[in-house]
Amino acid sequence: MSSILKNTKVTLAKRPDGMIAPDNFKVVTEELSDLKEGEVLIQIEVISLDPAIRGWMNAGTTYIKGIEIGAVMRTFSAGKIVASKNADFPEGTYVSGLLGAQEYCVSDGKGLTVIDISKGRASLHLGVLGMPGMTAYFGLLRRGEPKAGNVVFISGAAGVVGSTVGQIAKIKGCTVIGSAGSDAKCNYLKEECGFDFAINYKTESIDEKLKEYAPNGVDVFYDNVGGPTLDDGLLNLAQGARVVICGFISQYNKKEIYGPKNYMKIVSARGVMNGIIVFDYVAEWPQAVEEMSEWLSSGQMKAKEHTVKGLEKFPDTLMMLYTGENFGKLILEI
Ligand SMILES: NC(=O)c1ccc[n+]([C@@H]2O[C@H](COP(=O)([O-])OP(=O)(O)OC[C@H]3O[C@@H](n4cnc5c(N)ncnc54)[C@H](OP(=O)(O)O)[C@@H]3O)[C@@H](O)[C@H]2O)c1
């Protein structure tokens, strides 16, 4: 590797106050120095834009530490090792991990996952075969515990997590209802992903539609949205229902969080409400990737991607997640 190799990266310039804005970010170019013993140089090809990034831009620590001001934006990314001084990761190996929003990443190998691109292109390992797919798999199967014949309701259903949850629930023999923000997304859920029903939450009442589609209630409510959507789902729980709190995208950019009003329904439904953090299942990801790859290659599972090209488009592209402009797993390609 030459010492004049340059790396362009997107850094956190200042913390957002409410909705993220372009001036929260800065694009910086720096020179990379030669690799030390044990290090590898990864040329990043694809960057994953995930809703959680908004939370990571805040100060402090939740399940993970906030990004420092001036540091590269933390993202899952994937690419190819183009130089190596680490025998465990030879040149030419494809890897993914928290490699950041940048062209190149120098890594000591810790936290790198070797990806098998014969099982799917690199971007799929950031989506269905990566962190969001694992969230769907373990969130539904371990926290939602669906049984054949159950009714499963998923909010934020047209995204990578939601559409994967619904497709796994169909494979497990459930009736699946999803909510999403446009007719095109609802049609995709029914026609491509095999959902039984889809609710356009912008033009229809989730509560009314759930009463129509699930007159005996919802056995598994997989919530990606929070706020009033969580309330509508809670009102429609079946006896013994499991509520999986996966995310609350309607609240990420809010200064004041809307808390659930209908939580008393958990009592009368003898239900449980579970949180899921995908990183708790890291040791089991390889087996889940194996199973999901088989579902993908057999055509039992579909994976839709929304790709934007150009690192400099990072701020505008990230914003798409919170306005619903993305349709499929949002990927930034370098
Ligand atoms: N707990 C974990 O370990 C974990 C891990 C990964 C992801 N997650 C969570 O899973 C959820 C889905 O993530 P994803 O990667 O699949 O994202 P995604 O669904 O592909 O993208 C976000 C979608 O959220 C919807 N949305 C945005 N603002 C909304 C609002 N105010 N009300 C209702 N819907 C809104 C938009 O779709 P519409 O057009 O339908 O509005 C948008 O396309 C997120 O909440 C994320 O934080 C949790």
Side-chain angles (χ1 to χ4, degrees):
M1 183 188 77
S2 149
S3 59
I4 54 159
L5 188 63
K6 291 209 162 92
N7 179 37
T8 299
K9 59 185 183 180
V10 181
T11 63
L12 179 63
K14 68 171 192 182
R15 300 199 188 281
D17 180 27
M19 190 63 167
I20 49 170
D23 66 352
N24 295 134
F25 309 94
K26 193 173 173 193
V27 177
V28 175
T29 299
E30 64 185 7
E31 277 186 12
L32 290 174
S33 40
D34 287 338
L35 289 183
K36 297 193 202 72
E37 254 342 285
E39 288 183 337
V40 297
L41 179 70
I42 304 150
Q43 183 168 23
I44 292 172
E45 295 181 3
V46 278
I47 293 171
S48 175
L49 295 169
D50 293 292
I53 294 173
R54 174 63 187 83
W56 301 342
M57 292 169 75
N58 293 334
T61 301
T62 50
Y63 63 96
I64 194 168
K65 204 167 174 285
I67 302 167
E68 301 288 346
I69 299 291
V72 65
M73 284 300 301
R74 180 188 297 140
T75 60
F76 278 92
S77 311
K80 188 170 153 183
I81 295 181
V82 289
S84 177
K85 289 196 171 178
N86 183 327
D88 292 337
F89 298 98
E91 228 176 283
T93 308
Y94 270 86
V95 290
S96 68
L98 285 169
L99 310 179
Q102 54 186 342
E103 290 175 324
Y104 292 95
C105 174
V106 176
S107 164
D108 62 6
K110 286 198 194 93
L112 288 185
T113 301
V114 172
I115 58 175
D116 180 353
I117 56 168
S118 73
K119 289 200 165 75
R121 57 190 179 276
S123 58
L124 282 179
H125 293 268
L126 300 179
V128 167
L129 300 179
M131 185 278 286
M134 298 299 103
T135 305
Y137 185 97
F138 290 103
L140 177 68
L141 298 180
R142 295 294 169 78
R143 311 300 273 167
E145 297 181 7
K147 294 165 192 70
N150 277 176
V151 176
V152 177
F153 168 53
I154 304 141
S155 63
V160 53
V161 173
S163 60
T164 309
V165 169
Q167 292 180 86
I168 298 172
K170 283 310 301 175
I171 291 168
K172 299 293 174 189
C174 301
T175 297
V176 176
I177 308 168
S179 65
S182 71
D183 287 343
K185 288 183 179 182
C186 287
N187 289 340
Y188 164 73
L189 291 175
K190 287 185 288 184
E191 285 158 22
E192 302 282 325
C193 299
F195 280 47
D196 299 279
F197 305 101
I199 305 167
N200 178 344
Y201 72 87
K202 291 190 177 156
T203 58
E204 298 175 307
S205 152
I206 292 180
D207 178 38
E208 279 172 26
K209 285 290 161 186
L210 283 180
K211 288 190 164 56
E212 182 185 331
Y213 299 147
N216 297 321
V218 166
D219 301 292
V220 180
F221 171 23
Y222 194 104
D223 188 29
N224 290 312
V225 170
T229 302
L230 172 57
D231 269 336
D232 283 340
L234 288 177
L235 271 186
N236 288 281
L237 297 183
Q239 287 294 304
R242 286 80 69 203
V243 180
V244 181
I245 303 293
C246 176
F248 23 93
I249 190 137
S250 67
Q251 305 298 306
Y252 292 161
N253 289 288
K254 294 255 165 78
K255 292 185 191 173
E256 219 165 288
I257 302 296
Y258 175 106
K261 290 190 169 48
N262 297 335
Y263 70 92
M264 58 283 279
K265 187 70 198 205
I266 295 278
V267 176
S268 56
R270 285 91 174 159
V272 291
M273 209 166 181
N274 282 315
I276 151 91
I277 289 289
V278 64
F279 301 114
D280 294 347
Y281 300 93
V282 161
E284 296 177 77
W285 286 18
Q287 156 266 323
V289 169
E290 205 58 46
E291 197 168 6
M292 300 268 271
S293 314
E294 280 164 26
W295 288 336
L296 271 179
S297 58
S298 68
Q300 278 178 288
M301 183 166 283
K302 300 270 163 46
K304 188 172 176 62
E305 292 183 351
H306 185 142
T307 305
V308 176
K309 282 193 184 162
L311 189 61
E312 72 291 351
K313 300 221 178 86
F314 181 90
D316 289 344
T317 311
L318 181 61
M319 219 98 78
M320 293 167 83
L321 290 171
Y322 311 105
T323 57
E325 271 176 86
N326 70 305
F327 192 173
K329 170 69 207 134
L330 192 54
I331 295 285
L332 195 64
E333 201 175 277
I334 298 193

